[in-house]
Amino acid sequence: MSNTSLGFIEISGVVAAVDALDIMCKTSGVELATWERKLGGRLVTIVVRGDVASVTEAVETAAQKAIKKPVASGIIANPHPEIMKLVELSASRFMSKEKSGGGLDSRTIQEV
């Protein structure tokens, strides 16, 4: 996992977040690690992972081309294991809701 980097974009609104994630995944070889909704979906944090160059390119491109300007963005190259624990915890909450309901329906998406 030493080549793993994390990229973060916090953006206002679920639609803008999905747009930013689409841009990031299409731009380079990154994958969604997890996402968090706060303030009833008014702020959404997207976390992607991949190699440093891919994550950097993905975050910078999404910050420039997303339908809304991100509130914040950042890149962590070779994150500390404690940071990875936080991301994995967030991802496990997301995945447990998906598994318990048999899929992502509108109610599950609202709860995440």
Side-chain angles (χ1 to χ4, degrees), residues 5-74:
S5 297
L6 297 174
F8 302 84
I9 284 194
E10 188 168 68
I11 198 161
S12 176
V14 175
V15 173
V18 171
D19 177 59
L21 177 61
D22 183 59
I23 291 168
M24 288 191 284
C25 290
K26 288 178 178 176
T27 298
S28 60
V30 297
E31 63 181 20
L32 175 66
T34 190
W35 72 302
E36 295 277 338
R37 273 181 355 138
K38 300 296 178 194
L39 302 174
R42 287 179 283 189
L43 281 180
V44 180
T45 304
I46 303 265
V47 183
V48 295
R49 73 173 139 229
D51 62 81
V52 178
S54 296
V55 168
T56 302
E57 181 182 15
V59 169
E60 289 176 356
T61 303
Q64 292 173 355
K65 295 185 177 183
I67 59 176
K68 286 187 177 180
K69 184 176 187 226
V71 175
S73 64

Side-chain angles (χ1 to χ4, degrees), residues 82-94:
E82 293 298 318
I83 300 300
M84 293 306 292
K85 284 182 188 178
L86 286 174
V87 171
E88 290 166 5
L89 176 64
S90 173
S92 70
R93 288 192 310 251
F94 173 68

